[in-house]
Amino acid sequence: MSYQGKFRVWRGDDTGGALEDFTVEVNEGEVVLDIIHRLQATQAPDLAVRWNCKAGKCGSCSAEINGKPRLLCMTRMSTFTEDEVITVTPMRTFPVIRDLVTDVSFNYTKAREIPSFTPPKDLAPGEYRMQQVDVERSQEFRKCIECFLCQNTCHVIRDHEENKEAFAGPRFLMRVAELEMHPLDTADRVDSAQESHGLGLCNITKCCSEVCPEHIHITDNALIPMKERVADRKYDPIVWLGNKLFRRS
Amino acid sequence: MPEVERHSFDVLVIGAGGAGLRAAIEAREHGMRTAVLCKSLFGKAHTVMAEGGIAAAMGNVNSSDSWQVHFRDTMRGGKFLNNWRMAELHAQEAPQRVWELETYGALFDRTKDGKISQRNFGGHEYPRLAHVGDRTGLELIRTLQQKIVSLQQEDFAEFGHYEERLRVFQEFTVTDLVVEEGRIAGAFGYWRESGRFVLFEAPAVILATGGIGKSFKVTSNSWEYTGDGHALALRAGAKLINMEFIQFHPTGMVWPPSVKGILVTESVRGDGGVLRNTENKRFMFDYIPEVFKDKYADNEEEADRWYTDQANNRRPPELLPRDEVARAINSEVKAGRGSPHGGVFLDVSTRLPAEEIRRRLPSMHHQFKELADVDITAQPMEVGPTCHYVMGGVEVDPDTAASSVNGLFACGEVSGGMHGSNRLGGNSLSDLLVFGRRAGEGAASYVRGLSERPSVSDEAVARASETALAPFQAEGGENPYTLHMELQQSMNDLVGIIRRESEMQEALERLEKLKERAQSLSVEGHRQFNPGWHLALDLRNMLLVSECVARAALLRTESRGGHTRDDAPAMSADWRRKLLVCSLDGTRVNVEEQAQIPIRKDLLDLFDRAELEKYLTPEELS
Ligand SMILES: Cc1cc2nc3c(=O)[nH]c(=O)nc-3n(C[C@H](O)[C@H](O)[C@H](O)COP(=O)(O)OP(=O)(O)OC[C@H]3O[C@@H](n4cnc5c(N)ncnc54)[C@H](O)[C@@H]3O)c2cc1C
Ligand code: SF4
Ligand code: SF4
Ligand code: FES
């Protein structure tokens, strides 16, 4: 049941690096993160990787496996053949710190730029009343585990460093949508979505939604509805197209 | 001496889980310049994994609920060993703390009339757990994280700088607390990324570092749970209580090996799941203890009727408290009636329609499908006990969370007392908020009361950096991974769910040898993001904390909650009046008995005399 698997793992730091070959034992039922841990324990004790829960709940272990953005702890070895070479590289959109660990501070910076929940002034704690149907829209977005795989994938910043300044990325545009759709939030977020957070740069390719391990419909349920709200105030051709393609209430 | 980065704050919070973040918010709102230090990224602390919910007697689903009922349930769950003042404050303040989360932006599931919905859980008399599907911990962490961001935005508006009064240092490990002249003066540690050292000067430190599960082989806990806060407190001169009490959750995954221990939520049983052995028998009917006979059904028919008619039937025995279920599973496996991979079967597939299972237990469905190739709508799960939670921790003053060391506070899982010998599900998340807030307030008022601030001596810094660099000095020493595996195996086998004197003696002997070997660990590579080095430093804490667990467990010759002895199976009312207190004497752990403070009369009056007789001595009752 166990076999010797072939791995290529990117090793290096901000000054450069390369793929390194390893042959390592693989046992039944294991995930890629188990193999990385086995490498640490047997062949490369200083191999850097970020992880925490090992159950797909914390969003720490994001990387690219054979070029696809994935969580290392939720990628089973049984999805590969025994003779396949498995290549593990760090997320490409963020600067490398070491090996598989990247500097994700971009995301924390963007998080801070979004004005926080603004509660109604006249409600005391305990007086909040909301219907389940009304909270569900924002609840979907709050399933986000902040793995930043969507941020890593979105072409607006993946290949365009220069856009990072103006673009919050799918995760944080979704945060704007979450607050906009919060039944009791009192702030107006529509104009700032477009003007401060770069919603206009998104051309609804849905690549972000495809990689989301929580299967959140980022584009359909957050970005397009936000674009629609912007369009209600201002004409935007992409929304017009979006409306035609994905009609929803 | 290597170069050391320096910072100075009013209050340092070590830990960014629910307890640490709530404490930091409070300290900052009291005007303290506050720093939060955490080992992983901000927003990824262990709290994120909590599933079931937060217990708070809001009475939204059943208006008969009140803090008094919650208090009673908590004391029963802990088999009356709880610090009653903590249990009282917890039950009284939990609703306020949950409502406050809504003002920070939390979105809990709702009742029909738009209030926060509450669900049933083991040991809670009424539906009491506020929740968001089965991802309540994520909601809690994200909400507190976003509240911190909002406070930083206020500072930006006022000072033009986000981190003026509240700063998070992430991927940072504290290795030592600095104590000068009997009071806290700061903390020392390293950036995980670069390995560079940092000294924080601060008159008050709040420990909120969580638990110790990584000393056990099979655990639901992550790598962060190396007992750092417990060990830091001991080394700073504080005391730990109740370290013998460890909660083994009855249902962890047992297969595949790489996910062994990962939690299977109690909601599976709450929603109808049943436990069977290889003979296909619902064995829990054979394990109903005498004290619970009037509350649990002794036949399948009645147990099954309970799900639809709770007023006229007794509960299914699968919903007994966690310690009872964990022991029962353990006995079945030992008797040779276990499943192929050494657990028992937990089956919901024959109990609910597939669609219903997917709707009610989405993350369990996902977890088994992705990690074990098991479709829980069609097949049973294999489950077994897993080390889940430590009831023991830093002894604190209930009202202010202050430890016995001036300037040192503790809250959350790292503190002890609140849960007695066994914690009820849902009572941890509420504990984090109630005592997190109190710790923040306690630290702020301590700092305000100081006439002058302690300063950190150069020797203290030199000593701390020497300790941290030791693993790089030795050559040809042992691999920390090997030592860690041996420690986990020993604790699992010898101080696990069922304990015996001879085995615990052996555990202590092994720990002694491991301690010696740990003196000469060696690690390869450099200080930049080096997991081997990190583990070498964590091992020091795990060994110390494991010794506390083993020594206290050896001394307590009774069985109660999370401490079960084969050679002393009964619960003893005399032992209820005693706490075992660990302190550090050089490198040796000392354990002493300490008398419990008698329960306040008006709180005792909340119980029937007949019930109290099960727990208290005749002397206490007279
Ligand atoms: C799978 C699972 C499910 C659970 N479900 C529930 C539930 O439904 N309801 C419930 O009430 N409870 C539940 N619990 C228990 C509960 O989640 C934990 O007890 C609680 O979250 C602990 O919170 P905390 O704030 O004390 O610590 P944590 O959230 O663990 O945070 C500890 C923090 O301390 C930091 N830290 C530790 N050591 C150091 C160091 N040396 N230097 C710097 N930082 C350090 C860590 O990085 C982390 O940020 C569950 C537990 C698990 C494992
Ligand atoms: S849909 Fe928008 S945010 Fe998502 S990947 Fe495409 S451009 Fe980026
Ligand atoms: S939206 Fe999905 S992909 Fe993006 S950070 Fe959140 S969980 Fe990850
Ligand atoms: S380790 Fe938490 S998501 Fe992979």
Side-chain angles (χ1 to χ4, degrees), chain A residues 59 62 71 107 140-141 143-153 170-172 174 208-216 218, chain B residues 44 142:
Chain A
S62 310
L71 295 177
N107 299 289
E140 182 193 3
F141 309 142
K143 287 196 315 200
C144 170
I145 57 174
E146 299 208 327
C147 65
F148 309 130
L149 286 173
C150 57
Q151 303 282 88
N152 175 51
T153 305
R171 194 280 169 256
F172 296 103
M174 179 177 89
C208 53
S209 311
E210 270 162 34
V211 298
C212 176
E214 287 293 307
H215 307 295
I216 302 171
I218 309 169
Chain B
K44 312 221 176 282
R142 202 64 81 230

Side-chain angles (χ1 to χ4, degrees), chain A residues 33 50-61 71-74 145:
Chain A
L33 185 60
R50 206 182 251 137
W51 67 289
N52 199 343
C53 68
K54 207 172 174 290
K57 296 200 167 115
C58 71
S60 300
C61 63
L71 295 177
L72 295 172
C73 74
M74 293 305 276
I145 57 174

Side-chain angles (χ1 to χ4, degrees), chain A residues 34 47 50-52 54 57-58 60 76 98 108 112 114 116 130-132 139 142 144-146, chain B residues 40 42 44 51 107 109-110 114 139 142-143 146 150 153 163 171 222-223 258 370 373 528:
Chain A
D34 290 313
L47 171 61
R50 206 182 251 137
W51 67 289
N52 199 343
K54 207 172 174 290
K57 296 200 167 115
C58 71
S60 300
R76 298 195 75 203
R98 217 164 80 83
Y108 290 91
R112 261 187 198 161
I114 294 163
S116 297
M130 294 175 264
Q131 290 304 312
Q132 184 61 35
Q139 277 185 331
R142 291 181 72 84
C144 170
I145 57 174
E146 299 208 327
Chain B
S40 31
F42 185 29
K44 312 221 176 282
E51 292 161 358
L107 284 175
D109 289 347
R110 318 304 297 182
E139 186 68 13
R142 202 64 81 230
T143 300
Q146 287 164 349
S150 90
Q153 290 171 342
E163 292 172 334
E171 302 198 305
S222 84
W223 65 263
S258 67
E370 297 282 319
D373 253 340
Q528 204 194 23

Side-chain angles (χ1 to χ4, degrees), chain B residues 144-193:
Chain B
L144 294 171
Q145 180 183 354
Q146 287 164 349
K147 175 65 183 177
I148 289 205
V149 166
S150 90
L151 291 169
Q152 292 179 325
Q153 290 171 342
E154 283 176 21
D155 281 1
F156 185 77
E158 197 175 334
F159 305 100
H161 196 293
Y162 285 111
E163 292 172 334
E164 186 65 29
R165 287 179 295 188
L166 181 51
R167 180 162 172 198
V168 180
F169 293 79
Q170 57 183 359
E171 302 198 305
F172 183 89
T173 303
V174 173
T175 55
D176 274 302
L177 298 179
V178 184
V179 181
E180 301 281 2
E181 291 162 15
R183 53 186 187 155
I184 286 290
F188 179 91
Y190 62 90
W191 289 108
R192 298 176 75 80
E193 191 178 308

Side-chain angles (χ1 to χ4, degrees), chain B residues 553-567:
Chain B
L554 182 62
L555 287 180
R556 186 173 281 273
T557 47
E558 65 155 353
S559 292
R560 177 186 297 274
H563 171 64
T564 306
R565 288 186 61 150
D566 236 8
D567 52 2

Side-chain angles (χ1 to χ4, degrees), chain A residues 12-14 27-31 34 37 40-55 57-60 70 73-76 78 97-99 101-105 108-109 111-117 119 123-135 138-148 171 175 178 182-183 213-215, chain B residues 40-46 48-51 96 99-100 102-116 131-135 138-139 142-143 145-147 149-153 162-163 166 168 170-171 193 214 220-224 255-259 262-263 363-364 366-367 369-373 479 481 524-526 528-533:
Chain A
D13 54 27
D14 56 353
N27 301 311
E28 195 184 353
E30 287 183 331
V31 293
D34 290 313
H37 284 158
Q40 283 181 337
T42 57
Q43 306 180 32
D46 59 346
L47 171 61
V49 62
R50 206 182 251 137
W51 67 289
N52 199 343
C53 68
K54 207 172 174 290
K57 296 200 167 115
C58 71
S60 300
R70 313 237 14 190
C73 74
M74 293 305 276
T75 306
R76 298 195 75 203
S78 60
I97 294 174
R98 217 164 80 83
D99 303 340
V101 177
T102 54
D103 176 358
V104 292
S105 55
Y108 290 91
T109 306
R112 261 187 198 161
E113 289 169 0
I114 294 163
S116 297
F117 173 61
L123 285 185
E127 290 177 359
Y128 286 38
R129 295 291 177 272
M130 294 175 264
Q131 290 304 312
Q132 184 61 35
V133 282
D134 296 328
V135 298
S138 297
Q139 277 185 331
E140 182 193 3
F141 309 142
R142 291 181 72 84
K143 287 196 315 200
C144 170
I145 57 174
E146 299 208 327
C147 65
F148 309 130
R171 194 280 169 256
R175 167 76 172 143
E178 173 210 314
H182 188 302
E214 287 293 307
H215 307 295
Chain B
S40 31
L41 290 172
F42 185 29
K44 312 221 176 282
H46 211 277
V48 91
M49 293 166 77
E51 292 161 358
Q96 281 300 330
W99 286 323
E100 183 176 75
E102 288 197 303
T103 70
Y104 299 170
L107 284 175
F108 292 102
D109 289 347
R110 318 304 297 182
T111 61
K112 287 220 162 53
D113 54 355
K115 297 180 184 166
I116 296 172
H131 57 91
V132 187
D134 49 9
R135 59 158 187 89
L138 174 65
E139 186 68 13
R142 202 64 81 230
T143 300
Q145 180 183 354
Q146 287 164 349
K147 175 65 183 177
V149 166
S150 90
L151 291 169
Q152 292 179 325
Q153 290 171 342
Y162 285 111
E163 292 172 334
L166 181 51
V168 180
Q170 57 183 359
E171 302 198 305
E193 191 178 308
K214 270 298 166 198
S220 63
N221 297 170
S222 84
W223 65 263
E224 291 198 307
W255 194 89
S258 67
V259 298
I262 289 185
L263 195 72
S363 83
M364 283 305 112
H366 182 75
Q367 180 173 314
K369 191 135 207 159
E370 297 282 319
L371 295 174
D373 253 340
N479 178 339
Y481 293 97
E524 283 175 41
H526 31 76
Q528 204 194 23
F529 224 117
N530 186 337
W533 178 44

